[in-house]
Amino acid sequence: MAGAIVLIAALFVATLNNEALYAVLGQVWRQAFFGVGLSPRDSAAMVSQVSGQVTNTARDAPAVLIYGALYVGTCLALLWLVLPAASQRRLALTFYGGATLLFVVLLGAGQLGSSVLLQLSSQLIHFIVSPLPVIGLVPLLRWYLPHKQPF
């Protein structure tokens, strides 16, 4: 129970301070590039256009990817703690995997020139990297697949 409370607090803080986290993560990846002798400006110019289309704000795509991976990882860890049955956990992973795959397909198709698909991919990633899937999945999976055994 304490672990779930800590993860909920972490999601809450990350959601309220996401701009500051993007700035910190952007600085971290730039320093990592400098550390291995690469120029992050070249890659930033290439990926900021895609990042701007997805996030509606020009941000460093590596920072967005790192933030998204950490946020979704925290959501999955929380789901792991509050969903006791393996079948519930599999469905949660399938949901996140399917949503991520759909995002990649929409983004790729949108890059071919469809602003509607880019907008859909943007809305989908904003949904994935939010607490809404957890808020919906926990009661839905506990109701749909009540656990009979702890694991």
Short mmCIF file of all heavy atoms in Angstrom, two decimals, residues 79 83 85 87-93 95 136-147:
data_model
loop_
_atom_site.label_atom_id
_atom_site.label_comp_id
_atom_site.label_asym_id
_atom_site.label_seq_id
_atom_site.Cartn_x
_atom_site.Cartn_y
_atom_site.Cartn_z
N LEU A 79 0.17 0.04 -11.59
CA LEU A 79 -0.79 -1.00 -11.98
C LEU A 79 -0.35 -2.37 -11.48
O LEU A 79 -1.18 -3.18 -11.06
CB LEU A 79 -0.97 -1.01 -13.50
CG LEU A 79 -1.76 0.17 -14.07
CD1 LEU A 79 -1.63 0.21 -15.58
CD2 LEU A 79 -3.21 0.10 -13.65
N LEU A 83 -3.05 -4.26 -9.17
CA LEU A 83 -3.76 -5.33 -9.86
C LEU A 83 -3.11 -6.66 -9.47
O LEU A 83 -2.01 -6.98 -9.90
CB LEU A 83 -3.70 -5.14 -11.38
CG LEU A 83 -4.38 -3.90 -11.92
CD1 LEU A 83 -4.14 -3.77 -13.42
CD2 LEU A 83 -5.87 -3.91 -11.62
N ALA A 85 -3.92 -9.94 -10.01
CA ALA A 85 -3.94 -11.12 -10.88
C ALA A 85 -3.06 -10.91 -12.12
O ALA A 85 -3.00 -9.82 -12.68
CB ALA A 85 -5.37 -11.44 -11.31
N SER A 87 -3.57 -12.03 -15.07
CA SER A 87 -4.40 -11.71 -16.24
C SER A 87 -4.72 -10.22 -16.29
O SER A 87 -4.77 -9.63 -17.37
CB SER A 87 -5.68 -12.54 -16.23
OG SER A 87 -6.41 -12.30 -15.04
N GLN A 88 -4.94 -9.61 -15.13
CA GLN A 88 -5.19 -8.16 -15.09
C GLN A 88 -3.94 -7.40 -15.54
O GLN A 88 -4.04 -6.43 -16.29
CB GLN A 88 -5.56 -7.73 -13.67
CG GLN A 88 -6.87 -8.29 -13.18
CD GLN A 88 -7.08 -8.07 -11.69
OE1 GLN A 88 -6.12 -8.02 -10.92
NE2 GLN A 88 -8.33 -7.94 -11.29
N ARG A 89 -2.80 -7.83 -15.07
CA ARG A 89 -1.55 -7.17 -15.44
C ARG A 89 -1.27 -7.31 -16.93
O ARG A 89 -0.81 -6.37 -17.57
CB ARG A 89 -0.40 -7.76 -14.63
CG ARG A 89 -0.51 -7.45 -13.15
CD ARG A 89 0.51 -8.19 -12.36
NE ARG A 89 0.43 -7.86 -10.95
CZ ARG A 89 1.05 -8.51 -10.00
NH1 ARG A 89 1.84 -9.52 -10.31
NH2 ARG A 89 0.92 -8.14 -8.75
N ARG A 90 -1.53 -8.49 -17.49
CA ARG A 90 -1.33 -8.70 -18.92
C ARG A 90 -2.22 -7.77 -19.74
O ARG A 90 -1.79 -7.20 -20.74
CB ARG A 90 -1.62 -10.15 -19.30
CG ARG A 90 -0.40 -11.04 -19.28
CD ARG A 90 -0.67 -12.37 -19.97
NE ARG A 90 -1.84 -13.07 -19.44
CZ ARG A 90 -1.83 -13.85 -18.36
NH1 ARG A 90 -0.72 -14.02 -17.69
NH2 ARG A 90 -2.92 -14.45 -17.96
N LEU A 91 -3.47 -7.61 -19.32
CA LEU A 91 -4.37 -6.71 -20.05
C LEU A 91 -3.90 -5.26 -19.95
O LEU A 91 -4.00 -4.51 -20.93
CB LEU A 91 -5.80 -6.85 -19.53
CG LEU A 91 -6.56 -8.06 -20.03
CD1 LEU A 91 -7.92 -8.16 -19.33
CD2 LEU A 91 -6.75 -8.01 -21.53
N ALA A 92 -3.39 -4.86 -18.80
CA ALA A 92 -2.87 -3.50 -18.66
C ALA A 92 -1.66 -3.29 -19.58
O ALA A 92 -1.56 -2.26 -20.26
CB ALA A 92 -2.49 -3.22 -17.21
N LEU A 93 -0.76 -4.26 -19.62
CA LEU A 93 0.40 -4.17 -20.51
C LEU A 93 -0.04 -4.16 -21.98
O LEU A 93 0.52 -3.43 -22.79
CB LEU A 93 1.36 -5.33 -20.26
CG LEU A 93 2.22 -5.24 -19.02
CD1 LEU A 93 2.98 -6.55 -18.80
CD2 LEU A 93 3.17 -4.08 -19.11
N PHE A 95 -2.86 -3.04 -23.13
CA PHE A 95 -3.44 -1.73 -23.39
C PHE A 95 -2.35 -0.71 -23.70
O PHE A 95 -2.41 0.00 -24.69
CB PHE A 95 -4.27 -1.26 -22.19
CG PHE A 95 -4.68 0.18 -22.30
CD1 PHE A 95 -5.75 0.54 -23.09
CD2 PHE A 95 -3.97 1.18 -21.65
CE1 PHE A 95 -6.13 1.87 -23.21
CE2 PHE A 95 -4.33 2.51 -21.77
CZ PHE A 95 -5.41 2.85 -22.56
N GLY A 136 -8.72 4.73 -15.18
CA GLY A 136 -9.74 3.90 -15.82
C GLY A 136 -9.47 2.41 -15.72
O GLY A 136 -10.39 1.62 -15.53
N LEU A 137 -8.20 2.02 -15.86
CA LEU A 137 -7.88 0.59 -15.89
C LEU A 137 -8.06 -0.11 -14.55
O LEU A 137 -8.49 -1.26 -14.51
CB LEU A 137 -6.44 0.38 -16.38
CG LEU A 137 -6.22 0.54 -17.88
CD1 LEU A 137 -4.73 0.48 -18.20
CD2 LEU A 137 -6.96 -0.52 -18.66
N VAL A 138 -7.71 0.56 -13.47
CA VAL A 138 -7.78 -0.12 -12.16
C VAL A 138 -9.21 -0.58 -11.86
O VAL A 138 -9.43 -1.78 -11.63
CB VAL A 138 -7.20 0.76 -11.04
CG1 VAL A 138 -7.51 0.18 -9.68
CG2 VAL A 138 -5.70 0.92 -11.22
N PRO A 139 -10.20 0.30 -11.85
CA PRO A 139 -11.55 -0.22 -11.54
C PRO A 139 -12.10 -1.14 -12.62
O PRO A 139 -12.78 -2.12 -12.32
CB PRO A 139 -12.41 1.04 -11.39
CG PRO A 139 -11.64 2.15 -11.99
CD PRO A 139 -10.21 1.75 -11.99
N LEU A 140 -11.77 -0.84 -13.88
CA LEU A 140 -12.28 -1.68 -14.96
C LEU A 140 -11.74 -3.10 -14.86
O LEU A 140 -12.50 -4.08 -14.94
CB LEU A 140 -11.90 -1.07 -16.32
CG LEU A 140 -12.34 -1.86 -17.54
CD1 LEU A 140 -13.87 -1.87 -17.64
CD2 LEU A 140 -11.74 -1.27 -18.80
N LEU A 141 -10.45 -3.25 -14.68
CA LEU A 141 -9.86 -4.58 -14.62
C LEU A 141 -10.20 -5.30 -13.32
O LEU A 141 -10.33 -6.52 -13.29
CB LEU A 141 -8.34 -4.51 -14.82
CG LEU A 141 -7.91 -4.10 -16.23
CD1 LEU A 141 -6.41 -3.97 -16.31
CD2 LEU A 141 -8.43 -5.08 -17.27
N ARG A 142 -10.35 -4.57 -12.25
CA ARG A 142 -10.74 -5.22 -10.99
C ARG A 142 -12.20 -5.70 -11.07
O ARG A 142 -12.56 -6.71 -10.48
CB ARG A 142 -10.54 -4.29 -9.80
CG ARG A 142 -9.06 -4.19 -9.40
CD ARG A 142 -8.91 -3.21 -8.30
NE ARG A 142 -8.13 -3.45 -7.15
CZ ARG A 142 -7.77 -4.55 -6.53
NH1 ARG A 142 -8.14 -5.69 -6.98
NH2 ARG A 142 -7.04 -4.57 -5.46
N TRP A 143 -13.02 -4.99 -11.82
CA TRP A 143 -14.41 -5.39 -11.98
C TRP A 143 -14.53 -6.51 -13.02
O TRP A 143 -15.21 -7.50 -12.81
CB TRP A 143 -15.26 -4.20 -12.42
CG TRP A 143 -16.62 -4.57 -12.90
CD1 TRP A 143 -17.68 -4.95 -12.15
CD2 TRP A 143 -17.05 -4.63 -14.26
NE1 TRP A 143 -18.76 -5.22 -12.95
CE2 TRP A 143 -18.40 -5.03 -14.25
CE3 TRP A 143 -16.44 -4.35 -15.48
CZ2 TRP A 143 -19.13 -5.20 -15.42
CZ3 TRP A 143 -17.16 -4.52 -16.63
CH2 TRP A 143 -18.49 -4.93 -16.59
N TYR A 144 -13.82 -6.34 -14.14
CA TYR A 144 -13.93 -7.30 -15.24
C TYR A 144 -13.26 -8.63 -14.91
O TYR A 144 -13.80 -9.68 -15.23
CB TYR A 144 -13.31 -6.70 -16.50
CG TYR A 144 -13.35 -7.61 -17.70
CD1 TYR A 144 -14.58 -7.92 -18.29
CD2 TYR A 144 -12.20 -8.18 -18.22
CE1 TYR A 144 -14.63 -8.76 -19.38
CE2 TYR A 144 -12.26 -9.01 -19.31
CZ TYR A 144 -13.47 -9.30 -19.89
OH TYR A 144 -13.52 -10.12 -20.97
N LEU A 145 -12.12 -8.59 -14.28
CA LEU A 145 -11.38 -9.80 -13.95
C LEU A 145 -11.06 -9.81 -12.45
O LEU A 145 -9.93 -9.60 -12.05
CB LEU A 145 -10.06 -9.87 -14.73
CG LEU A 145 -10.17 -10.09 -16.22
CD1 LEU A 145 -8.80 -9.93 -16.86
CD2 LEU A 145 -10.73 -11.46 -16.52
N PRO A 146 -12.05 -10.04 -11.61
CA PRO A 146 -11.73 -10.09 -10.19
C PRO A 146 -10.77 -11.23 -9.91
O PRO A 146 -10.88 -12.30 -10.48
CB PRO A 146 -13.09 -10.30 -9.51
CG PRO A 146 -13.98 -10.82 -10.56
CD PRO A 146 -13.43 -10.37 -11.89
N HIS A 147 -9.83 -10.98 -9.04
CA HIS A 147 -8.81 -11.99 -8.76
C HIS A 147 -9.35 -13.06 -7.83
O HIS A 147 -10.10 -12.78 -6.92
CB HIS A 147 -7.53 -11.36 -8.23
CG HIS A 147 -7.67 -10.81 -6.85
ND1 HIS A 147 -7.42 -11.56 -5.75
CD2 HIS A 147 -8.04 -9.59 -6.40
CE1 HIS A 147 -7.63 -10.84 -4.66
NE2 HIS A 147 -7.99 -9.63 -5.03
#
